[in-house]
Amino acid sequence: MTARILSIGTALPDTRVEQATLRDLFAAQPGFDRKSQRLVGAAFDAAAIDTRHVVLPQLAGRAGDGLGVRDGDTLLMPPTGARNDEYRRTAPALFAEASRAAIAGSGYGRDAVTHVVTVSCTGMFAPGPDYHLVRDLGLSPSVERYHLGFIGCAAAIPALRLAARIVTADPTAVVLVACAELCSLHWQTSSHPDQIVAASVFADGAGAAVVASGDSSHDGLDLDGFATHVTDEGEKDMAWTVGDSGFEMTLTPEVPRIIGREISAIAADVVGDLDRVDAWAVHPGGRSILDRVENALGLDAAALAPSRDVLRRHGNMSSATLLFILRDLLADGARIEGDQVAALAFGPGLTVEAAKITVRRATA
C-alpha cells in the first residue's frame, strides 16, 4: 500500500516583520559603506518577499526577553552558544504546534503515532526535538525516533522518504514528520555579498506531516517515488558551517545558475515526463532560483505560483518551507483526484531532492 501524507500542519513565530523594516535595519549597520548599502537594498528589494516571521522580536523593533540581538539600530553578534540556547528555548514549541495541527487533521489520535522524524539545521541539543515531541505531545514512550540534522533546505524530502520507507515496510505505522527552522538566530552583520543575500531571504517557521497507509476515506498526497541527484558543481557555492558567532551561510550567485543549467536533465530523470506534471512544489530558495527553474523547464507563469506565494508571505524557512507549499496544494480545491505533483528542493552539495506525488481525494 502506498504511503500517503494525510495532513500537514504549520506554525509560525508570533513576530511578523516587514521586509522593508529588515532591509533598513541591515543597511544601517556600522561599517557598511554606500556600495554595501546599495547591495543590501538591491538584494532585499529583489527577494520577492513581503513579510517574514522571526523568533526574535527585537528584529522588528519590539522588546523581547530572549536573546539580545540589538542595541538601538546596531545588530549585535552573540556567540554561537547563546544563539543555540535560544534555539533550545524556542524551537520545541514550534515543533509541537505544527505537529498538533498535523495530527488533528489526520484522522488519527496521538496514541496512534508509531514513529517520529524531526528535521532541523539551525540548532542542536540532546535530548533533541524528537524527544521533546514525544514528551510535549504525550506520545507513547515506545515511539521510534529519528532526527535528520544539518541537511539544509532540501531536508523535508529525505524526511518524507524515510517516512514512506517505514510505512511501506510496516503498513500499520503512523509516522509524524516535523521540520522547524529558526534561521533568524544566525543573522550575520557582514557586508559580504553571501551574508547579505542570506539575510534577505531566510526566516523562521515549522511544518509537520502525518504519513500513513492511505485509503479512500481521506484526502491526501500519495508519496509515489523519490530521487536524489548531486550536481557536478556547487559544493563550495552552497554551504552551512558552524562559526564562533552563529552558523554561517555560503550562498553564491552560482547557485541559481547551476540549478538553471542542470535542472532540466535532473527533473526529467527524477520526475519523468514533465508534460504529465499537473502541479509543482519547488522549494523557493530565493526568487532567482524559482526564475531559473521556471525558465529552464519552460513552465508557464502560474506553475510556480504556490512556491512564490509562500516565499512572498513567509520567506525561505529552510526545510519547513516545502511543507507549507504542499499544505496549500492539498487544500487547493482545484487540485483533483489523480493530479500529479512534482516536488523539488535544493540543499548543500549542491544536492537536488525530488519526489513524485499524487493527489488523492476522499470518495466516501
Side-chain angles (χ1 to χ4, degrees):
M1 185 173 288
T2 302
R4 180 175 298 176
I5 298 175
L6 298 177
S7 59
I8 297 174
T10 58
L12 293 163
D14 292 336
T15 300
R16 178 174 174 267
V17 58
E18 299 288 332
Q19 177 78 343
T21 299
L22 293 172
R23 177 200 64 205
D24 294 346
L25 174 62
F26 199 61
Q29 295 313 296
F32 277 40
D33 57 20
R34 290 185 179 181
K35 180 180 178 181
S36 297
Q37 290 172 343
R38 287 196 299 270
L39 182 56
V40 169
F44 278 71
D45 291 345
I49 296 170
D50 291 343
T51 56
R52 291 185 261 171
H53 288 77
V54 294
V55 294
L56 299 172
Q58 291 181 16
L59 292 179
R62 303 170 194 164
D65 59 359
L67 180 69
V69 296
R70 187 170 177 176
D71 181 8
D73 287 334
T74 300
L75 286 167
L76 306 177
M77 289 286 283
T80 302
R83 299 180 194 233
N84 197 64
D85 286 345
E86 187 69 7
Y87 175 89
R88 185 173 184 173
R89 187 178 76 88
T90 55
L94 286 172
F95 272 109
E97 183 181 347
S99 297
R100 288 190 185 98
I103 293 172
S106 71
Y108 286 100
R110 62 185 183 182
D111 292 342
V113 175
T114 59
H115 299 72
V116 166
V117 179
T118 53
V119 176
S120 191
C121 69
T122 49
M124 56 188 75
F125 62 94
D130 52 318
Y131 166 88
H132 280 266
L133 268 184
V134 171
R135 186 197 67 183
D136 295 345
L137 271 60
L139 304 181
S140 168
S142 63
V143 165
E144 292 186 22
R145 311 191 320 266
Y146 305 89
H147 181 72
L148 303 184
F150 237 66
I151 297 177
C153 293
I157 291 182
L160 292 172
R161 181 173 60 224
L162 173 58
R165 299 284 191 263
I166 292 170
V167 171
T168 299
D170 178 6
T172 67
V174 177
V175 185
L176 173 65
V177 174
C179 307
E181 304 289 8
L182 307 186
C183 303
S184 70
L185 296 180
H186 301 290
W187 190 296
Q188 303 290 314
T189 57
S190 168
S191 59
H192 191 285
D194 287 359
Q195 300 304 326
I196 290 175
V197 171
S200 73
V201 297
F202 284 103
D204 304 345
V210 172
V211 179
S213 296
D215 60 57
S216 61
S217 66
H218 203 288
D219 286 353
L221 300 171
D222 279 359
L223 298 170
D224 297 321
F226 298 88
T228 300
H229 186 95
V230 178
T231 64
D232 293 334
E233 303 177 73
E235 182 178 351
K236 296 180 179 180
D237 294 294
M238 184 191 293
W240 189 228
T241 57
V242 179
D244 292 335
S245 297
F247 300 170
E248 298 173 1
M249 169 60 72
T250 298
L251 193 63
T252 77
E254 283 302 307
V255 170
R257 294 171 191 159
I258 293 169
I259 291 172
R261 284 198 303 267
E262 301 201 23
I263 195 62
S264 295
I266 293 171
D269 181 44
V270 302
V271 177
D273 185 356
L274 302 187
D275 291 335
R276 299 185 63 185
V277 175
D278 300 298
W280 292 85
V282 178
H283 173 73
R287 193 205 71 183
S288 60
I289 288 177
L290 293 178
D291 290 346
R292 294 278 183 164
V293 171
E294 182 179 292
N295 292 335
L297 298 182
L299 304 178
D300 62 44
L304 300 187
S307 297
R308 294 187 189 278
D309 185 57
V310 168
L311 180 66
R312 178 181 59 80
R313 292 184 290 120
H314 304 303
N316 179 352
M317 299 168 286
S318 192
S319 68
T321 317
L322 189 70
L323 291 176
F324 280 69
I325 299 167
L326 292 176
R327 174 204 63 185
D328 292 348
L329 287 173
L330 181 58
D332 183 359
R335 302 267 64 89
I336 62 173
E337 167 70 20
D339 272 0
Q340 299 296 300
V341 179
L344 297 170
F346 316 103
L350 183 67
T351 302
V352 179
E353 296 283 357
K356 295 171 67 174
I357 297 170
T358 302
V359 175
R360 296 301 181 194
R361 295 305 185 192
T363 58

